[in-house]
């Protein structure tokens, strides 16, 4: 099956190079001669032998000077330990032989500009060449990319199945596509990110180059699921970390196969808008309702038209039309193609919109009056060309007819595949525009050194050590004393002033409250003495073998305007991330958190506070600076960091107090 | 344009009835004779005259015994007050004349079984007749329903554009479709629900009849946006209320045009599963990853295969296949069509799954070996027929080829349009199955009478009156005294026992805390005296003209295991709804709420507690009973209810305490 498809692909799509079938048995296959060994002058090999024969074929490629090979053969890393060793050996040998290896366990690639489909499933023409390059770990998806592109009139540059990424990784292809002037947008369907450093490097280059990288990440990796004692471990799950990574590195995240293709197509065709202010013009009231519904919860903003625009539109529209955003130009546009253009001009000239979303269903067939149909396409194309940015979408997700596709291409128009996907694609383009605007010059990396305080330490630090560490970064706790006995506790309380908190102190008890080791709101000396004895007693019962230093006595913060959790952890793939969330009992239940890769600056920290659903009252500047400090500490700790919590951080009218803290080192 | 399309629709699609063009001017049009008046024996008229001539045409219809009319004409209710009066008069006259009126401002309908398209936009064949009926307020959408159905091979019974619903409403068509044995599923795109009582009646009948009703509701109605003083007003927004209505009445809610059509098609073809346990079989690793990703957050459950099933599958699969759920049958199924069937049988016979989701991309063309292709379809059809419920989905959302569509129909197969939409449709079918399972016999409606306590009252009740009202329904507050002066307050506190809460008491101050009228945690007599003076002082400053009765003194609840808000409000369209949410500062910020139509029973109330993200500790039974009481009160208050809050309701280790309450009457 694979051979038949491959031969048909190489011979039937207009590829202008030569190809040979090779098999030691020779003879003839599918009406073509079969060479017994690889001929001279071959650039690339598509290898589809069994696992055990792959090494010898690689050697033959090496002898014959073949520069690159696609390895369809499976039975390697995907089969476990043994296969992984086999694969490693094969890749090392390929490197020695100077062969660039795609796969193993991959189906190959399609180069649309060269019309070269070195791919194991049948590719049915037409091949529409264009600016979208698509990468997938799963090889079968290339076929679906191809079909979707055909159905929607999307021009592709290349599709690549990367399989096990034994040598060439997703990032390698991203890099190649960034350097290829024919590629405008890069899309990827990834089950895992196997080369995190390469991925980050490539995505940064892509952002700088203005070549959007659009990723549909599916499935889950095990590494992100480690359970650790700090809350931040579970709050910053793999998916949240990936969101933070993508946001920092300018990667547009999509959530379905269809959205991947659609978003790439819009970005390749129309670029991205300068902002989110969007004017919407449709051809039916139903479409207006649907658009209003679908934009909720997206980054698309749809402010109503200013009065002067409304006046101009009212003069253009039939009497039963209403000039509002989103606007129904009414069914009369079908008979009056110039009306849509006039409306678009009116909104564009005086509305100050950065993006246009136009619902239009151009004719599917030339019909009885082709010149009139042609006029409709031409009029739409001319109007769109005058806009700063426009996404044009048909109403529902159905394929273009061949006629419509070719006519649209002839007029330089692209049609999003229905309102639902069109608005998703527009949302993606706006997200990209926002990330471009925020793109910062790479900071000169500064020397990072872990503070002396952590030298030789590992595991959970005690509360007071955790706080001392955070203080070095400007995250300051309440005034507090470590009391060794009840009398010291009472004296400390009197000196601090009531009410106070009494907390058992031990590096070995991470969850003090759960162990009965915390007493709040103590208003008198005797209560403090009693609380001291009780928390130690309870903690000893809960952790019989723990070394207990005594109890921390600190003033009870009663005038907090907000309660937050700050945190950081080291993601195994992407390094330190920093987090802020709604504090108190809601930490785990509501998961109201904002995440970023460390470090963050004060502006970004304030943005994170804005993202929380729970409003943060009090001294937001101080809260933001504490978040900046946590990010710096996370970077300095480097690989030593497992996770850290500041929980709660009380936000006061002025300043903040890190009431409790926990740092876990590796 | 409309005339041309209509004539082409009536003459070109195989309709076996007669039709006449009528215009007072007579003559000829589009090659057909034009009658000067309506001939005898006409059943139905399609009226496309101007607004001002509509009444006289209606009269002529009446004289000629025309039983029903489609009124394309616009310029009625959609244009405001004056048009609404015109429309009312026209509808009344049509009733007198015994004419069933569709519209005005509608594009008509298509009856697929009769091949009758009385519709103003051109309908291009083929017409696929089947079991899905679709209703839309927006007339243009019928064209898109038609195109989507063609592209996906979905059989339609009818599509109807209801326009202004002057006489015939969405609910009327639902009722007609429930009675039509050819209709299996009813779908609707609605901008508003104009006849709420009719909608509820029809949806209940549809649920009882096992004809799923699937609704895509877009846009917003003004009525739901009223701002009222109780929190429940804003927490129970229009959209949340609609969710509660749909859930109670068995309506499947969808979120896009594509999902509407896809969900209807799956339900019409495959019915619904007995539960949510789903086995997934795909033909690629990529599809497995995509499915795993897309099922998150849905009602689809995908437990792994039991060991005996895994053993059977391992024996069937090639060595590189892995028997797990979701399962990749690997690319070899393309060559071995019997393999998929064998795997399905193995899982079905011993797995206990209620639903199957199968990813399959059958051939798009017969190719060089049509009998072999035929075999693949036949094998898939036979395997699917043995399953209790199956959704089969192609990988991506592209149209079926004519060949694929006809071959699938020949084998009785239906293909969902891509994994994304296929899983949404499956999720909808599972939701429907759950609603069917919960369907309860209609309770005998009992006489409802508002408690005497509210006789002659309106507006906000005071806290103590609100609590007395709730007590009648078993929702009990803390022991508390209304103190008129500081001395009484102190005495009350001593009698209740410390700590206590002091709250200003006035029917005119709904938000006591905001007015500085609440003091918590008072632990001694003197503090209570002082607090009394302070809260009255603060309240007087904030509300200078309010009548203040004194202050409520109650015990401070310090041992709550959870803090909730209970609430009820009267929705202008759907009547009383009842709500429970996470309490405290998170009420508005987090909107962690569960809603139902009132009344709820204890089981449903417990289910609502389960829906909250914040875990509810303590006496859940008592919390549920309080919720039942709130629902009963809401029903008894009937139209008198505007909204009520119990905020907070403290959930204790045993029992609950309604610490504060606010009832607002109309």
């Amino acid at each position: 099956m694979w051979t038949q498809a491959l031969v048909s692909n190489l011979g039937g799509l207009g590829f202008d190079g030569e190809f040979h079938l090779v098999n030691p048995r020779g003879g003839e296959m599918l009406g073509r001669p079969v060479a017994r060994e690889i001929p001279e002058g071959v650039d690339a090999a598509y290898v589809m032998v069994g696992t055990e024969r792959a090494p010898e074929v690689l050697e033959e490629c090496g002898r014959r000077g073949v520069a690159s090979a696609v390895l369809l053969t499976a039975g390697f890393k995907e089969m476990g330990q043994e296969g992984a060793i086999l694969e490693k050996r094969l890749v090392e040998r390929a490197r020695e032989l100077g062969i660039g290896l795609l796969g193993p366990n991959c189906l190959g690639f399609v180069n649309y500009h060269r019309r070269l489909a070195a791919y194991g499933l049948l590719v049915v023409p037409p091949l529409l060449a264009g600016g979208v390059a698509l990468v997938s770990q799963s090889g079968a998806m290339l076929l679906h990319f191809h079909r979707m592109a055909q159905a929607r009139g999307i021009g592709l540059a290349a599709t690549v199945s990367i399989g096990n990424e034994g040598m060439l990784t997703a990032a390698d292809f991203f890099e190649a596509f960034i350097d290829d002037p024919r590629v405008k947008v890069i899309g990827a369907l990834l089950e895992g990110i196997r080369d995190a450093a390469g991925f980050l490097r490539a995505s940064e280059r892509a952002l700088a180059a203005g070549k959007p990288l659009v990723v549909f990440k599916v499935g889950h990796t095990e590494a992100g699921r480690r359970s650790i004692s700090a809350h931040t471990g579970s709050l910053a799950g793999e998916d949240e970390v990936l969101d933070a990574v993508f946001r920092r590195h300018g990667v547009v995240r999509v959530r379905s196969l269809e959205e991947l293709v659609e978003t790439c197509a819009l970005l390749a065709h129309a670029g991205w808008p300068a902002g989110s202010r969007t004017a919407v013009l449709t051809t039916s009231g139903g479409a207006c309702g649907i658009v209003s519904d679908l934009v909720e919860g997206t980054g698309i903003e749809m402010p109503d038209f200013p009065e002067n625009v409304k006046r101009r539109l009212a003069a253009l529209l039939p009497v039963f039309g209403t000039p509002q955003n989103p606007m129904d130009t009414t069914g009369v546009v079908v008979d009056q193609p110039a009306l849509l253009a006039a409306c678009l001009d009116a909104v564009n000239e005086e509305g100050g919109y950065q993006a246009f979303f136009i619902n239009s269903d151009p004719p599917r067939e030339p019909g009885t009056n082709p010149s009139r149909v042609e006029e409709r396409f031409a009029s739409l194309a001319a109007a769109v060309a005058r806009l700063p940015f426009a996404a044009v979408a048909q109403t529902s997700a159905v394929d273009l007819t061949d006629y419509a596709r070719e006519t649209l291409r002839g007029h330089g128009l692209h049609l999003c595949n229905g309102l639902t996907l069109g608005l998703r694609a527009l949302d993606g383009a706006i997200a990209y525009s926002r990330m471009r605007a925020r793109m910062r010059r790479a900071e000169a990396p500064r020397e990072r050194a872990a503070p002396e305080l952590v030298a030789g330490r590992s595991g959970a630090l005690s509360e007071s050590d955790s706080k001392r560490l955070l203080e070095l970064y400007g995250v300051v706790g309440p005034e507090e004393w470590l009391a060794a006995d009840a009398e010291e506790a009472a004296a400390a309380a009197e000196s601090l002033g009531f009410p106070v908190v009494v907390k058992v102190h031990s590096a070995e008890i991470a969850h003090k409250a759960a162990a009965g080791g915390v007493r709040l709101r103590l208003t008198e000396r005797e209560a403090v003495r009693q609380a001291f004895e009780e928390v130690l007693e309870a903690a000893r019962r809960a952790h019989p073998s723990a070394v207990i230093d005594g109890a921390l006595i600190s003033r009870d913060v009663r005038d907090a305007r907000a309660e937050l959790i700050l945190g950081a952890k080291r993601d195994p793939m992407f390094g330190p991330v920093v987090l802020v969330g709604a504090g108190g009992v809601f930490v785990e239940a509501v998961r109201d958190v904002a995440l970023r890769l460390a470090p963050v600056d004060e502006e970004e920290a304030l943005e994170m506070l804005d993202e929380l659903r729970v409003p943060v009252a009090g001294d937001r500047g101080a809260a933001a600076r504490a978040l900046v400090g946590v990010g710096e500490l996370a970077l300095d700790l480097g690989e030593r960091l497992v996770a850290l919590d500041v929980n709660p951080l009380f936000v006061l009218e002025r300043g903040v107090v890190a009431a409790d803290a926990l740092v876990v080192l590796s």
Side-chain angles (χ1 to χ4, degrees), chain A residues 50-61:
Chain A
T51 317
E52 66 296 338
R53 289 206 46 225
E56 69 189 79
V57 171
L58 194 72
E59 294 298 334
E60 188 179 344
C61 286

Side-chain angles (χ1 to χ4, degrees), chain A residues 293-629:
Chain A
D293 210 67
L294 294 175
V295 298
E296 266 186 42
T298 72
I300 301 167
E301 290 182 290
M302 213 166 49
D304 202 5
F305 300 137
E307 284 309 318
N308 51 342
V309 170
K310 288 195 178 192
R311 274 194 301 275
R312 275 183 68 177
L313 289 171
L316 293 166
L317 285 177
V319 60
F320 49 93
T322 313
Q324 63 190 9
N325 192 17
M327 186 173 92
D328 170 12
T329 56
T330 79
V332 301
V333 286
V334 177
D335 276 335
Q336 303 173 29
L339 175 61
L340 177 60
C343 291
L344 285 171
D345 286 342
V347 177
N348 188 32
E349 284 161 21
E350 302 189 50
Y353 289 89
Q354 296 154 321
F356 285 76
F357 185 81
I358 303 164
N359 168 224
S360 179
D361 291 279
R364 296 169 66 79
E365 300 298 342
T368 51
N369 196 343
S371 69
R372 174 146 185 178
V373 165
E374 189 64 26
E375 189 194 326
R376 279 189 61 198
F377 280 102
S379 158
L380 179 60
V384 165
R386 290 192 290 271
L387 302 174
F389 171 93
V392 187
Q394 55 180 12
T395 306
S396 61
V398 293
D399 293 1
L400 298 176
T401 60
D402 292 346
Y403 165 74
R405 186 183 64 218
E406 292 313 313
T407 313
L408 287 164
R409 275 173 91 85
H411 286 283
L413 282 167
H414 166 72
L415 217 56
C416 299
N417 195 38
L419 297 170
T420 315
L421 285 169
L423 287 167
R424 298 263 174 122
L426 172 59
D427 193 34
I430 287 173
Y432 185 71
S433 143
R434 209 177 301 123
M435 292 187 290
R436 287 274 300 174
R438 268 190 214 139
M439 187 174 55
R440 43 192 82 198
R441 285 155 299 125
E443 293 170 36
R446 70 170 172 85
E447 279 297 315
R448 293 282 177 180
E452 262 181 64
L453 198 58
V454 304
R457 307 287 296 272
S458 72
L461 301 186
S462 72
E463 177 176 345
S464 61
D465 284 350
S466 297
K467 283 176 169 169
R468 277 167 57 206
L469 192 55
L470 280 154
E471 266 174 29
L472 298 177
Y473 291 82
V475 185
V476 179
E479 197 186 340
E480 63 194 9
W481 285 21
L482 178 54
D485 58 37
E487 196 46 47
E488 263 185 58
E494 294 219 308
S495 146
L496 291 166
F498 294 97
V500 297
V501 179
V502 173
K503 292 184 283 187
V504 70
H505 193 260
S506 163
E508 293 164 59
I509 304 178
H511 296 295
K512 294 182 283 286
V518 179
R519 298 289 304 274
L520 306 172
R521 277 181 234 111
L522 302 165
T523 54
E524 43 172 16
R525 191 184 162 85
E526 195 41 42
V528 173
R529 289 181 62 94
Q530 201 182 321
F532 180 94
E533 303 293 359
E534 285 169 7
V535 301
L536 260 69
E537 170 73 20
R540 279 195 202 102
R541 257 201 314 276
H543 297 271
S545 65
V547 176
I548 295 175
D549 311 321
L552 276 182
I553 318 300
S554 54
R555 262 205 79 120
D556 200 351
V557 177
R558 305 309 309 159
D559 50 353
R561 301 288 313 279
E563 190 178 342
L564 299 175
I565 176 173
L566 306 189
K569 75 165 198 176
R570 184 168 186 85
D571 181 81
M573 283 204 289
F574 298 106
V577 297
V578 48
L579 160 158
V580 60
V585 294
F586 290 83
V587 168
E588 292 285 349
V590 175
R591 301 179 66 95
D592 181 19
V593 296
L595 254 85
R596 293 288 188 283
L597 293 190
V600 293
D601 60 21
E602 201 172 324
E603 188 188 349
E604 204 166 5
L606 283 168
E607 207 180 85
M608 292 170 73
L609 295 178
D610 286 338
E611 275 172 34
L612 298 182
R613 284 169 293 165
V614 174
V616 180
D619 192 340
R620 295 164 61 86
R625 286 188 294 278
L627 201 45
V628 173

Side-chain angles (χ1 to χ4, degrees), chain A residues 156-404:
Chain A
L156 298 179
T159 57
V160 186
S161 152
I162 51 179
N164 289 4
E165 297 176 85
M167 180 191 290
L168 294 170
T169 65
D172 291 326
F173 285 97
F174 296 164
E175 296 276 1
F177 291 138
I178 294 167
D179 294 331
D180 182 343
R182 289 168 306 192
V183 173
K184 290 184 167 173
V185 177
I186 304 162
L189 170 66
L190 301 176
E191 283 151 55
I193 292 172
R194 297 205 180 111
D195 168 18
F199 180 88
L200 295 183
R201 248 192 331 269
S203 60
E204 256 168 41
R205 273 195 66 210
L207 184 63
K211 295 206 180 181
L213 181 56
V214 183
V215 174
F216 179 25
K217 163 76 175 62
V218 301
H220 301 286
T221 55
E222 290 308 310
R225 298 251 161 250
R226 289 194 305 171
S227 95
I228 44 182
S229 54
H231 276 301
T232 301
S234 64
L235 287 178
E238 183 205 1
D239 210 61
E240 290 86 0
V241 170
L242 214 55
D243 269 338
V245 169
F246 283 11
R247 172 197 287 261
R248 173 68 56 87
H249 291 272
V251 178
V252 179
R253 189 169 191 179
V254 293
R255 300 286 180 173
S256 75
L257 209 52
E258 290 81 8
E259 207 182 322
L260 172 63
V261 168
E262 205 65 28
T263 306
C264 288
L266 179 63
L267 284 162
H269 185 85
W272 50 91
S276 56
R277 276 178 61 90
T278 305
V280 176
L281 283 87
T282 79
T283 51
S284 75
C288 284
I290 292 172
V291 170
S292 297
D293 210 67
L294 294 175
V295 298
E296 266 186 42
T298 72
I300 301 167
E301 290 182 290
M302 213 166 49
D304 202 5
F305 300 137
E307 284 309 318
N308 51 342
V309 170
K310 288 195 178 192
R311 274 194 301 275
R312 275 183 68 177
L313 289 171
L316 293 166
L317 285 177
V319 60
F320 49 93
T322 313
Q324 63 190 9
N325 192 17
M327 186 173 92
D328 170 12
T329 56
T330 79
V332 301
V333 286
V334 177
D335 276 335
Q336 303 173 29
L339 175 61
L340 177 60
C343 291
L344 285 171
D345 286 342
V347 177
N348 188 32
E349 284 161 21
E350 302 189 50
Y353 289 89
Q354 296 154 321
F356 285 76
F357 185 81
I358 303 164
N359 168 224
S360 179
D361 291 279
R364 296 169 66 79
E365 300 298 342
T368 51
N369 196 343
S371 69
R372 174 146 185 178
V373 165
E374 189 64 26
E375 189 194 326
R376 279 189 61 198
F377 280 102
S379 158
L380 179 60
V384 165
R386 290 192 290 271
L387 302 174
F389 171 93
V392 187
Q394 55 180 12
T395 306
S396 61
V398 293
D399 293 1
L400 298 176
T401 60
D402 292 346
Y403 165 74

